[in-house]
Amino acid sequence: MRFLVFCVVMAFAVSGLARAGSLPDREGWQVVPTDKAFQALVEDLKAAVKADKMGLITQASASAGAKGRGLTIPGNMVIGVYRNDYAVRMLEASVAAGIEAPIRFYVTDNGDGTATLSWKMPSFVFAPYMDEGGEALAELATELDLMFLSIAEGAVAAK
């Protein structure tokens, strides 16, 4: 079963969701350039999080903070996503892994009217805790990989 889920995750990654955009390829990340404007992608991501019944736990934007100081920098928004049932399972498997929650999406303005959606795959985020968390944490990470891919697909596909 775990192998089947891994195959599904990899199929999504290879299908075009994992192409390089304004951020260079890096290990464990998914980087999805879009034709959407920055603010539209932020709003579509928030809607996709809600549609997948996840919680929008945090959001932070250096560009919004800079604007408040009279500076203009390319748009960026970090959105932390999680849900309590996942948090409980994560902590049952590894208390140390709790530092990683919520897991974040990153929306960046490409400077050409388009934006990129990026995130670290949950299985990558939790990799340092696998010895402690064992099979329970590995299963949770795989479920979250699929959840984050679903959220990303929803955000990118929204019109």
Side-chain angles (χ1 to χ4, degrees):
M1 175 66 180
R2 191 168 162 206
F3 179 73
L4 176 63
V5 172
F6 175 77
C7 290
V8 170
V9 169
M10 294 314 296
F12 277 116
V14 173
S15 72
L17 263 181
R19 50 195 172 122
S22 64
L23 295 174
D25 285 336
R26 47 186 88 235
E27 183 182 358
W29 284 54
Q30 297 292 311
V31 180
V32 184
T34 74
D35 293 330
K36 295 183 179 203
F38 170 76
Q39 195 57 46
L41 184 56
V42 167
E43 295 307 317
D44 289 345
L45 175 59
K46 289 178 182 180
V49 167
K50 184 176 180 178
D52 271 311
K53 297 180 175 53
M54 291 291 281
L56 193 155
I57 309 301
T58 60
Q59 60 182 38
S61 172
S63 55
K67 185 176 180 181
R69 297 178 39 227
L71 302 172
T72 302
I73 63 172
N76 69 71
M77 175 72 70
V78 177
I79 296 178
V81 175
Y82 222 54
R83 197 170 72 201
N84 185 259
D85 59 317
Y86 288 127
V88 169
R89 289 173 56 202
M90 173 194 62
L91 293 171
E92 287 172 345
S94 169
V95 171
I99 191 78
E100 304 297 347
I103 300 172
R104 299 169 311 273
F105 282 101
Y106 189 33
V107 180
T108 50
D109 188 329
N110 296 330
D112 62 359
T114 68
T116 296
L117 177 63
S118 306
W119 70 99
K120 291 181 185 178
M121 293 292 288
S123 56
F124 180 77
V125 171
F126 289 136
Y129 312 97
M130 288 300 170
D131 286 344
E132 177 183 328
E135 187 65 29
L137 187 60
E139 288 176 13
L140 174 66
T142 300
E143 286 177 42
L144 286 167
D145 282 347
L146 292 172
M147 177 64 73
F148 272 63
L149 285 167
S150 177
I151 291 168
E153 284 182 328
V156 170
K159 297 285 180 190

